[in-house]
């Protein structure tokens, strides 16, 4: 079976923040058979439907989740990791986002790394992103005091009015992050879920309580600017006995079943709200990716290639 496949490739090595000109939309014939051909498309986590299969474990029209291409089709090799997907009555976008790796990162980083307790004071940076918004919702379910930082006032309103954050602030309006966090946490921070790194990490450590915990999930402030490297006070880390731990989703795949059980229950009873930002079509992939570095997305950024 031969189809015409549209897909996105990187045209040149990306320096600093990505630009539209770094990417190229290509179209090529692709033969869907058990013998894979060449395809230099970029891969990402997502949901797909089986078109044709030479593997008895996967049947035509079944839904699968795993590493798919930035394109309309992908030839799957034997070593690629896919699993069958039961939508459980939820939109497929949920499985690409909040019930996928973003959700697992929030769940494992917050519960496994931070070990939260009811009533503790929690700060989340990048709080309207795919991971941060879920961390915040988990914290409120547990009965924590919660503040998030975001990049504009629209996001501040969403956190407070839709997701139940106790407070939130626009970091672009704060000339002194340490002073801002002292204002929002006069009694100190117990848990900091870090999605940005840089100066915000320094400020959070300076305001943390004894035995504070930091889950280092991302460092978006540092990805495109080599001058913004975090340098938290090691005296604070030592004397306050602060734990700072980085983690990857692959460290915690054993928690996936527990996460799905908990998250799906709260989705059904309305205690967790989905936060998604969906674009349509292969052509929108580069701009969608760039928005992640500009902070334009609200919630999980997803590109829909075909209708559910």
């Amino acid at each position: 079976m031969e189809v015409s496949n549209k897909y996105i490739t990187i045209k040149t090595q990306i320096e600093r923040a990505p630009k539209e000109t770094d990417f190229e939309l290509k179209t090529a014939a692709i033969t869907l058979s058990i013998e894979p051909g060449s395809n230099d498309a970029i891969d990402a986590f997502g949901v797909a439907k089986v078109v044709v299969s030479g593997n008895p474990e996967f049947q035509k029209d079944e839904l699968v989740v795993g590493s798919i291409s930035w394109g309309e089709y992908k030839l799957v090799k034997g070593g690629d990791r896919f699993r069958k997907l039961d939508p459980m009555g939820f939109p497929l976008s949920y499985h690409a986002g909040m019930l996928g790796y973003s959700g697992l990162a929030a769940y494992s980083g917050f519960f496994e790394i931070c070990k939260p307790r009811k009533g503790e004071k929690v700060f989340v940076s990048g709080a309207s992103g795919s991971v941060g918004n879920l961390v915040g919702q988990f914290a409120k379910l547990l009965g924590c005091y919660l503040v998030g930082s975001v990049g504009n006032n629209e996001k501040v309103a969403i956190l407070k009015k839709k997701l139940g954050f106790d407070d939130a602030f626009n970091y672009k309006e704060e000339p002194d992050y340490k002073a801002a966090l002292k204002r929002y946490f006069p009694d100190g921070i117990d848990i900091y879920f870090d999605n940005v790194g840089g100066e915000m990490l320094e400020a959070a450590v300076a305001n943390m309580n004894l035995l504070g915990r930091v889950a280092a999930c991302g460092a978006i402030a540092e990805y495109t600017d080599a001058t913004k490297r975090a340098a938290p006070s090691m005296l604070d880390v030592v004397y306050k006995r602060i734990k700072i731990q980085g983690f990857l989703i692959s460290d915690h795949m054993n928690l996936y079943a527990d996460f799905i059980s908990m998250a799906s229950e709260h989705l059904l009873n309305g205690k967790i709200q989905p936060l998604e930002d969906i674009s349509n079509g292969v052509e929108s992939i580069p701009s969608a990716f760039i928005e992640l570095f500009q902070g334009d997305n609200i919630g999980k950024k997803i590109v829909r290639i075909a209708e559910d």
Side-chain angles (χ1 to χ4, degrees):
M1 177 181 178
E2 185 173 280
V3 297
S4 178
N5 183 37
K6 290 195 294 185
Y7 59 99
I8 299 294
T9 64
I10 296 176
K11 187 164 55 177
T12 183
Q13 180 174 336
I14 298 176
E15 300 290 345
R16 298 173 69 86
K19 309 180 296 297
E20 291 272 2
T21 53
D22 294 327
F23 302 94
E24 182 177 4
L25 174 66
K26 291 186 176 181
T27 302
I30 184 171
T31 302
L32 301 180
S33 70
I34 59 173
E35 293 297 328
S38 62
N39 188 343
D40 55 353
I42 305 161
D43 283 348
F45 181 81
V47 176
K49 179 182 284 188
V50 177
V51 176
V52 62
S53 175
N55 184 334
E57 295 184 11
F58 298 96
Q59 304 300 316
K60 183 178 183 297
D61 294 330
E62 284 186 329
L63 294 171
V64 295
V65 63
S67 179
I68 63 175
S69 295
W70 278 16
E72 295 176 320
Y73 298 92
K74 176 178 180 175
L75 288 168
V76 178
K77 302 177 182 179
D80 289 343
R81 292 185 177 181
F82 277 89
R83 61 177 176 82
K84 294 181 182 180
L85 174 64
D86 174 8
M88 300 185 293
F90 296 120
L92 295 186
S93 60
Y94 287 19
H95 297 278
M98 62 187 310
L99 293 176
Y101 286 169
S102 294
L104 180 59
Y107 181 87
S108 59
F110 187 58
F111 290 107
E112 188 73 8
I113 305 298
C114 296
K115 307 289 186 185
R117 295 182 291 271
K118 182 178 180 178
E120 287 195 304
K121 296 171 284 293
V122 177
F123 173 47
V124 182
S125 59
S128 66
S130 62
V131 176
N133 89 85
L134 286 172
V135 172
Q137 294 189 71
F138 292 155
K140 289 311 299 176
L141 283 171
L142 191 62
C144 296
Y145 172 75
L146 172 68
V147 177
S149 66
V150 288
N152 62 51
N153 292 326
E154 177 191 3
K155 294 179 179 181
V156 169
I158 289 172
L159 295 188
K160 294 167 68 173
K161 295 178 181 179
K162 181 175 181 177
L163 302 186
F165 280 57
D166 294 290
D167 220 328
F169 65 92
N170 179 354
Y171 70 87
K172 295 178 181 177
E173 295 181 349
E174 298 290 348
D176 185 333
Y177 295 164
K178 291 181 182 179
L181 291 179
K182 181 64 176 177
R183 189 167 73 249
Y184 286 99
F185 293 95
D187 297 320
I189 299 168
D190 297 308
I191 290 172
Y192 173 41
F193 198 99
D194 184 23
N195 290 302
V196 302
E199 296 174 352
M200 195 64 78
L201 173 59
E202 297 173 14
V205 167
N207 281 277
M208 295 201 80
N209 291 326
L210 290 175
L211 303 178
R213 290 88 75 201
V214 177
C217 181
I220 190 70
E222 304 183 28
Y223 293 159
T224 59
D225 189 343
T227 67
K228 292 186 177 180
R229 293 291 184 257
S233 168
M234 293 310 296
L235 289 177
D236 280 334
V237 172
V238 172
Y239 288 112
K240 294 180 182 178
R241 282 86 84 193
I242 296 170
K243 179 180 82 169
I244 302 176
Q245 183 173 337
F247 69 100
L248 298 175
I249 298 167
S250 56
D251 301 335
H252 302 290
M253 293 306 295
N254 62 306
L255 300 177
Y256 193 71
D258 291 340
F259 157 65
I260 289 293
S261 176
M262 178 262 217
S264 59
E265 176 184 349
H266 289 315
L267 275 170
L268 289 171
N269 63 28
K271 292 183 178 180
I272 291 179
Q273 302 297 319
L275 201 59
E276 299 179 324
D277 187 342
I278 300 178
S279 301
N280 290 289
V282 172
E283 295 86 352
S284 71
I285 292 176
S287 60
F289 181 68
I290 291 167
E291 285 178 12
L292 297 176
F293 295 87
Q294 297 174 338
D296 293 338
N297 63 297
I298 297 177
K300 175 65 176 179
K301 187 63 187 178
I302 296 171
V303 176
R304 181 188 290 117
I305 303 300
E307 293 299 322
D308 294 0

